[in-house]
Amino acid sequence: MFGGGLDGGLGGILPRAVDGLSQLAARLAGGTLRVGVTGLRRSGKTVFLTALLHNLLNAGRLPFLEVMAQGRFLASRLQPQPDAAVPRFDYERHLADLMGDPPRWPEATRAISEIRLALRFRTQGLIKYRLAGDSTLTLDLVDYPGEWLLDLPMLGQDFATWSAQTLDLATREPRAALARDWKAALSGVDPDAKADETLARHLAKLYTDYLQACRSGPIGLSLLQPGRFLEPGEMEGAPVLTFCPLPPPKSDWTGSLHGLMADRFEAYKDKVVRRFYREHFARLDRQVVLVDVLSALNAGAPGLDDLSRSLTATLESFRHGQAGWLSWLGGARIDRVLFAATKADHVAADQHGNLVSLLESFLADPLAGIRFTGAEVRSLALASVKATDTVLADWKGRQLACVQGTPLGRDAPAVIFPGEVPGSHLDLGPSGEGRFRFTDFRPPPGLGRDGRGLPNIRLDQVLQFLIGDRLA
């Protein structure tokens, strides 16, 4: 009887306990992480993902990723697409662009995509190794157009609120000049008039032209909604993309032009934005936010202000906070957020500290808000693919830290003094426009041919912060 009790009692409990401990060890080391690569247009999301994958697949140029430095990294392999309904990130094509002859930067992201990578490694510590043995961390990496990201704040607005905000922005320069044709057409429209499909499409076309002008203008404005008007993807031509902001009506009847636009605004939120958020963003575990600070600096204070507005508004839509043991009950929360000032190789190495300080200064409020939720936050300067070298040049007896690389539009390398990066957006003055002229560079020839991974600046530190704890 005693033997039977042991076999059915403790004998059954002990294997389950060991199995539970093994599962716990596997959770602490390995498991699956869903990482969202967030950033507005031209922030370098495609290049970042390509360089990250290439370096992890080749186990090279990542000296500060602890699992590599400690010799515990075993191997990595691309896995089948995790979601059959979402296109796969075209890693091979983007890598071929960078390693081509001549090399070129990959095309910008125009639709959502995902890719899965499995990392095999030895766990750290004798007890954990005996419980779990070698472990595998599965990374699901999500890429999407920056324009789509800007739709998330619309979820908390109705048509009247969004219209008032957007019309107000269009009264300020540099938007006011770009909105002239759309505003002129709008001035002759009665929001209370009977709904007219031809007029609705005409106004939506003029509004889309205005958004395109804002994006392609010298300042390259970021806060442009709805994002699908700029990157419609498979929804091009759909009625849900034919609305625009309107002044408030005098009455409220469903058959009016205002009523039609309001209905389409709500349909856009429901069928496009909410669905996109629910299927992709609500499941993120970690987040990297790529920010092209240098392009915003070239545009002066208006460019930085617009970038700050865009990022602040969109980050409020994410679920930040520590992911507890029972986080699966209420959906995942993002427990680590990394902010990276991209294209750090476009300035001399001694300016990277100022680049990070500038990023943190104009994002002070959202950074503080995320930290308050309990999520871990870090900022750094990053070059996903290093296109220049820092060199010293003599100018009138002074040693200047310069960058050497091949500027876009040229065929020969040049040594350029990019100037100094201000440590705060408050140092720009009232405008700052025309003060900075940071240069874009071509990718250098021969990238990745040594088999060590694409050369980069601080990609290993990015990975250590985002996934290092799951590779322990």
Side-chain angles (χ1 to χ4, degrees), residues 147 151 154 162 207 211 224-230 243 268:
E147 286 82 0
D151 288 342
M154 296 169 66
W162 176 74
Y207 180 67
L211 294 179
L224 307 171
Q225 299 170 324
R228 288 288 185 120
F229 280 37
L230 294 166
F243 65 90
Y268 183 85

Side-chain angles (χ1 to χ4, degrees), residues 214-235:
C214 288
R215 183 173 71 169
S216 61
I219 291 183
L221 296 168
S222 303
L223 189 52
L224 307 171
Q225 299 170 324
R228 288 288 185 120
F229 280 37
L230 294 166
E231 295 294 345
E234 76 286 357
M235 303 194 72

Side-chain angles (χ1 to χ4, degrees), residues 180-201:
R180 188 174 295 114
D181 291 344
W182 167 58
K183 294 292 289 292
L186 205 59
S187 64
V189 169
D190 179 7
D192 292 286
K194 184 178 179 180
D196 183 323
E197 180 65 25
T198 300
L199 178 59
R201 296 181 70 85

Side-chain angles (χ1 to χ4, degrees), residues 338-390:
L338 184 132
F339 288 84
T342 58
K343 304 177 184 177
D345 57 330
H346 290 21
V347 297
D350 64 355
Q351 295 299 304
H352 292 180
N354 276 6
L355 196 56
V356 174
S357 296
L358 176 62
L359 174 68
E360 292 183 337
S361 77
F362 75 82
L363 288 180
D365 288 342
L367 284 170
I370 294 171
R371 289 189 176 103
F372 184 79
T373 68
E376 294 186 52
V377 180
R378 187 181 175 191
S379 305
L380 53 72
L382 164 76
S384 303
V385 171
K386 188 170 176 285
T388 72
D389 293 302
T390 296

Side-chain angles (χ1 to χ4, degrees), residues 270-332:
D270 185 54
K271 298 183 182 301
V272 180
V273 187
R274 189 169 286 111
R275 176 183 170 189
F276 182 52
Y277 179 83
R278 182 175 58 249
E279 294 180 356
H280 303 290
F281 289 98
R283 297 188 288 139
L284 295 181
D285 302 302
R286 305 278 166 91
Q287 182 180 17
V288 54
V289 182
L290 305 179
V291 186
D292 184 4
V293 179
L294 296 179
S295 292
L297 268 181
N298 282 346
L304 273 180
D305 179 66
D306 187 78
L307 181 61
S308 176
R309 284 172 180 264
S310 301
L311 288 171
T312 298
T314 54
L315 288 171
E316 291 175 352
S317 303
F318 288 87
R319 289 167 54 88
H320 295 112
Q322 292 183 344
W325 292 105
L326 300 179
S327 62
W328 54 272
L329 289 173

